[in-house]
Amino acid sequence: MHLWPGDPYPLGVTFDGTGANIAVYAPHAESVELCLFADDGEESRVTLPEHHGAVWHGYLPVAAAGQRYGFRVHGPWDPARGVTCNPAKLLLDPYARAIEGDVHGDPALRIADPKDRAKPDPIDSAPHTPRSVIVSPYVDWRDDRPLHVPLADSVIYEAHVKGATICHPGVDPELRGTYAGLAHPAFLDHLSHLGVTALELLPVHQFVHDQFLLDRGLRNYWGYNSIGFFAPHNEYASRGQRGEQVHEFQRMVRALHERRIEVILDVVYNHTGEAGFDGPTLCFRGFDGTYYRGDSADRSRYVDSTGTGNALNFSHSYVLQLVMDSLRYWVTEMHVDGFRFDLAVALSREQHGRERVSAFFDLVQQDPVLSRVKLIAEPWDIGVGGYQVGNFPAEWAEWNGKFRDDVRDVWRGAARLPVLATRLAGSSDLYSDDGRKPFASVNFVTAHDGFTLRDLVSYNEKHNEANGDANRDGESYNRSWNCGVEGSTDDPSVVALRERQMRNFLVMLFVSQGAPMLLGGDELGRTQGGNNNGYCQDNGVSWFDWPARDDRLVHFTRGLITLRRESPVLRRRRFLTGQPANGSPVPDIEWLTRSGDAVDGVEWDDESLALGVFLNGDAITEMDRGGRRIRSDSFVLCINAGGGPATFTLPDEVYGREWTVVVDTRDWTVGPQGEPIPAGGTVETVHKSVVVLRRSRDSATDDVAEP
């Protein structure tokens, strides 16, 4: 077999229809072999003929989509300097568009001799490793285009590719748990019925299963263990792994876009599945040990700010190029609409510290592709100073962990009213000082990592024994309240309180300023039996239990999303000021006592946890895309997070002549309820409940000046 010289760019294996250009970064190599695999597994090797700087390259004149391949790197061995060439280890292409197979036999994948690190391990890893696959880049996208839904108008639905449909009776059995399953009309109808605007998927980059989990009979269900930053995970494909997973993913995106639903990927660039230096060598480490942050005296001793054994070295130019190329690929070739960055603080850590603005964030900000998509940070890692909520660059949104914590604390009686007011108003304490807007706050009460909504109101303690770690794993401080009984119960009073608490949390999520994120399955009433760390539970613990769905909860969630969509005052694009605006005689927001008066400083410490909120739809100053001022109804919220009933008096006529109840969390209805209540009238609430009242514009007392 003969290779032509080829080009050093682009990196990876690029198929042009007849042949393929091959280019890999291997700075210390003396030679690099391309390994091709026949259908029967026979391996053929050919040396890349050229290198330009640190990149070895060649052109394979006869190539076909579906061809399996890998690399072997020959060269020196000095792990302390990050030089780890070992031709006994078959390596995945860091830029592989598809990967076939999985890891088999962890010990054979060690790059160093387990008895003497000064020597490379001689065992051939090829029988135990997956293969890279050449993929055709040609796909019929039809007229698919980015949707560009404003983040302020977004409702994000977080879900797992497999778990969302594996038990769905309306999805064809052979498609359940796959990309095609998410594109099935039965699942798309559910998302459309709810009214969500974006599906945020747990990791879909090719990942590996930790050996310690396999030894326990478990698997890495969540997928936070990436080994291929360009390859969609092959286990989620319904019809093959030799490139079929790529085109199936693309068809899924197209189907979601046809329903006006964006696709956001949860991406894991902070570490890889190779773990520590003694972990499996599958890809990066075999090309260059400096892919990972290491001790200055010994690069084989990795700095670990992620809890996984390694952290990618974002001081390294080729690491930055790899990540940027990957992100652009998913936008331009796979048509995704944004990213949620796992442990995003790790992306800002330079070799020996953390900088708020690192090279990575600078590159993203100036990139003409990536600067236009949704960028959402998980704003923490486990390193020193790792909790950075509110401190990301102005172009980014963040998972607002303080919203989650404060809202949970208020409804279990462990926090006072001021923190709830701050979160309801968009968390200006976190996001207003650098020009960001309320939608920089991605609000959530529950997420994949932690209790489901039903478990949040059913358990005080985690119950993770099934994970095989003696219940030591997972967060121990959940800010949850079981309403008096731990776990399942038939006590009607406890059941009623739990259902009301779930509705309370959903109301808080969808009436707060910011971008709401709903944990997929919460609207079904899904439980994990108190497991708050289901990362290894690829079974009924984590899967959506569609046959047991609670249709009342689905209907209630849909009603809240509809109310939010129809009411711009619930999704403002500017922070509330507490001052009159747009000619309205009353402020854009007013915090009210139970007697209907404005709250003063002393009353903020009211231990009854009862608070009224007026949201003024007339005070909105934003314009729509046609230059017209956005109009909205106004609302009063009567929030009773305390332990007893509370009576609220509605404010006087200057706020509105009459009001109609549209939500009362004592029941499942979202929509007009009962007769209108006049200004100064009263609203009765039971303990742990919310009543939402709407004032139509025609009941306002003063005309509002037009712009």
Side-chain angles (χ1 to χ4, degrees):
M1 185 189 308
H2 178 69
L3 294 184
W4 299 349
D7 297 306
Y9 185 85
L11 291 170
V13 174
T14 306
F15 181 63
D16 61 16
T18 58
N21 191 75
I22 302 109
V24 294
Y25 168 74
H28 306 292
E30 295 171 353
S31 66
V32 176
E33 290 180 312
L34 172 68
C35 308
L36 301 174
F37 293 89
D39 289 345
D40 62 3
E42 182 180 355
E43 178 181 353
S44 301
R45 305 181 189 180
V46 59
T47 301
L48 296 181
E50 297 287 343
H51 67 92
H52 183 85
V55 176
W56 292 78
H57 56 91
Y59 182 86
L60 182 63
V62 179
Q67 171 67 58
R68 307 170 179 93
Y69 71 97
F71 296 98
R72 296 181 186 270
V73 177
H74 298 256
W77 177 261
D78 189 353
R81 293 195 302 113
V83 180
T84 49
C85 302
N86 184 350
K89 306 307 169 186
L90 180 72
L91 305 176
L92 292 167
D93 178 2
Y95 280 72
R97 271 37 175 186
I99 293 172
E100 181 190 43
D102 201 352
V103 175
H104 306 283
D106 188 52
L109 304 176
R110 293 172 177 151
I111 197 168
D113 188 326
K115 298 179 181 178
D116 184 359
R117 277 195 176 193
K119 299 177 182 178
D121 184 87
I123 300 176
D124 186 0
S125 68
H128 309 278
T129 59
R131 310 284 192 254
S132 305
V133 178
I134 295 177
V135 176
S136 170
Y138 307 111
V139 62
D140 180 12
W141 279 106
R142 300 178 187 171
D143 59 350
D144 187 71
R145 295 290 186 275
L147 299 178
H148 292 310
V149 177
L151 193 53
D153 299 335
S154 296
V155 176
I156 300 170
Y157 185 92
E158 188 196 29
H160 186 280
V161 173
K162 182 176 182 179
T165 65
I166 190 65
C167 297
H168 198 306
V171 175
D172 300 341
E174 67 274 14
L175 303 182
R176 294 174 188 169
T178 69
Y179 303 120
L182 294 183
H184 192 280
F187 184 69
L188 294 176
D189 287 347
H190 178 71
L191 296 184
S192 296
H193 176 75
L194 282 177
V196 301
T197 68
L199 176 61
E200 181 176 307
L201 295 175
L202 268 68
V204 301
H205 289 170
Q206 186 70 39
F207 62 85
V208 294
H209 298 281
D210 306 86
Q211 188 62 40
F212 79 91
L213 290 178
L214 297 175
D215 292 342
R216 296 176 183 174
L218 302 170
R219 289 158 55 83
N220 190 323
Y221 173 67
W222 285 350
Y224 289 90
N225 213 22
S226 301
I227 200 61
F229 294 132
F230 294 77
H233 189 64
N234 55 33
E235 292 181 286
Y236 301 152
S238 65
R239 294 187 175 89
Q241 299 186 4
R242 294 178 67 178
E244 293 90 349
Q245 62 265 52
V246 178
H247 301 304
E248 187 172 322
F249 183 94
Q250 292 168 324
R251 288 191 294 271
M252 176 200 73
V253 173
R254 189 180 69 194
L256 284 157
H257 282 179
E258 288 171 352
R259 295 293 188 105
R260 307 299 297 172
I261 298 171
E262 295 185 312
V263 178
I264 298 171
L265 299 187
D266 189 339
V267 289
V268 189
Y269 294 111
N270 53 76
H271 74 280
T272 80
E274 291 188 310
F277 184 79
D278 294 326
T281 292
L282 302 168
C283 181
F284 307 99
R285 180 165 40 236
F287 289 101
D288 181 19
T290 58
Y291 268 103
Y292 302 115
R293 295 175 60 215
D295 185 275
S296 58
D298 185 351
R299 295 305 302 266
S300 70
R301 301 186 184 279
Y302 296 158
V303 174
D304 180 12
S305 59
T306 65
T308 63
N310 68 60
L312 278 180
N313 179 11
F314 276 78
S315 297
H316 194 306
S317 61
Y318 276 91
V319 171
L320 287 170
Q321 182 178 346
L322 173 77
V323 173
M324 295 296 292
D325 287 348
S326 169
L327 290 168
R328 278 191 294 265
Y329 171 78
W330 286 97
V331 174
T332 60
E333 301 301 319
M334 306 296 267
H335 286 206
V336 305
D337 304 279
F339 305 95
R340 178 267 191 189
F341 292 82
D342 178 64
L343 300 183
V345 172
L347 310 184
S348 71
R349 291 187 184 273
E350 303 295 347
Q351 179 59 29
H352 300 295
R354 186 196 64 79
E355 299 294 337
R356 176 175 173 181
V357 179
S358 71
F360 171 70
F361 294 110
D362 291 340
L363 288 172
V364 170
Q365 191 276 329
Q366 61 80 44
D367 189 275
V369 173
L370 301 179
S371 60
R372 300 189 63 195
V373 303
K374 290 179 172 63
L375 303 168
I376 303 170
E378 182 185 36
W380 49 77
D381 70 3
I382 67 168
V384 175
Y387 193 74
Q388 292 294 320
V389 175
N391 288 331
F392 273 71
E395 299 80 14
W396 287 61
E398 300 175 13
W399 269 25
N400 188 349
K402 292 188 176 182
F403 180 95
R404 172 200 60 201
D405 296 346
D406 290 344
V407 169
R408 288 186 179 191
D409 278 346
V410 166
W411 285 100
R412 67 189 181 98
R416 301 272 72 84
L417 296 175
V419 297
L420 179 63
T422 300
R423 302 302 159 231
L424 283 171
S427 297
S428 60
D429 60 325
L430 301 174
Y431 302 114
S432 65
D433 62 344
D434 57 2
R436 285 198 276 183
K437 302 297 177 66
F439 50 82
S441 175
V442 175
N443 298 330
F444 64 105
V445 176
T446 55
H448 70 274
D449 187 1
F451 282 145
T452 66
L453 182 61
R454 185 171 292 280
D455 288 355
L456 180 66
V457 301
S458 304
Y459 295 91
N460 284 350
E461 308 296 335
K462 63 184 180 181
H463 297 272
N464 298 350
E465 290 82 4
N467 295 355
D469 199 25
N471 205 33
R472 292 188 297 264
D473 63 303
E475 176 60 59
S476 296
Y477 184 46
N478 293 284
R479 294 180 161 89
S480 60
W481 178 46
N482 64 16
C483 298
V485 178
E486 186 75 356
S488 61
T489 180
D490 295 326
D491 185 321
S493 63
V494 174
V495 171
L497 178 56
R498 288 177 177 178
E499 290 177 343
R500 192 159 69 247
Q501 282 285 76
M502 288 194 293
R503 294 191 290 267
N504 291 336
F505 282 123
L506 289 170
V507 170
M508 292 298 96
L509 180 64
F510 290 111
V511 304
S512 295
Q513 304 300 319
M517 185 187 77
L518 177 70
L519 172 61
D522 275 356
E523 81 284 5
L524 307 177
R526 187 174 72 87
T527 177
Q528 293 185 167
N531 191 319
N532 74 352
N533 190 31
Y535 79 104
C536 57
Q537 297 296 326
D538 188 2
N539 50 49
V541 171
S542 299
W543 301 341
F544 288 17
D545 187 357
W546 289 96
R549 63 182 282 172
D550 186 336
D551 287 325
R552 301 169 304 167
L553 192 53
V554 173
H555 178 76
F556 186 79
T557 305
R558 177 180 185 265
L560 291 176
I561 294 174
T562 301
L563 185 68
R564 182 182 182 86
R565 182 177 63 248
E566 294 175 348
S567 308
V569 74
L570 301 180
R571 46 185 174 82
R572 289 173 54 102
R573 299 177 186 178
R574 299 176 184 174
F575 279 109
L576 296 156
T577 65
Q579 301 297 320
N582 208 43
S584 174
V586 290
D588 54 10
I589 188 170
E590 188 83 88
W591 308 102
L592 304 170
T593 67
R594 282 168 290 168
S595 60
D597 301 318
V599 173
D600 64 25
V602 174
E603 289 163 324
W604 276 120
D605 293 325
D606 182 358
E607 293 187 0
S608 69
L609 292 179
L611 176 69
V613 187
F614 167 71
L615 294 169
N616 188 355
D618 293 332
I620 295 178
T621 59
E622 293 98 319
M623 303 289 182
D624 65 19
R625 293 184 178 182
R628 298 176 295 272
R629 184 172 63 80
I630 294 173
R631 295 173 177 269
S632 177
D633 293 339
S634 298
F635 291 87
V636 164
L637 314 179
C638 300
I639 302 170
N640 179 9
T647 300
F648 288 83
T649 300
L650 294 177
D652 61 36
E653 284 194 353
V654 71
Y655 295 89
R657 291 194 182 96
E658 59 181 27
W659 301 82
T660 301
V661 173
V662 291
V663 178
D664 185 337
T665 59
R666 282 180 289 190
D667 62 36
W668 298 99
T669 304
V670 178
Q673 304 169 40
E675 295 298 321
I677 303 173
T682 59
V683 176
E684 303 293 334
T685 65
V686 299
H687 73 289
K688 304 293 182 187
S689 69
V690 183
V691 175
V692 180
L693 303 100
R694 179 170 59 196
R695 187 211 74 194
S696 298
R697 288 182 53 80
D698 58 8
S699 73
T701 58
D702 293 277
D703 292 332
V704 177
E706 296 293 336

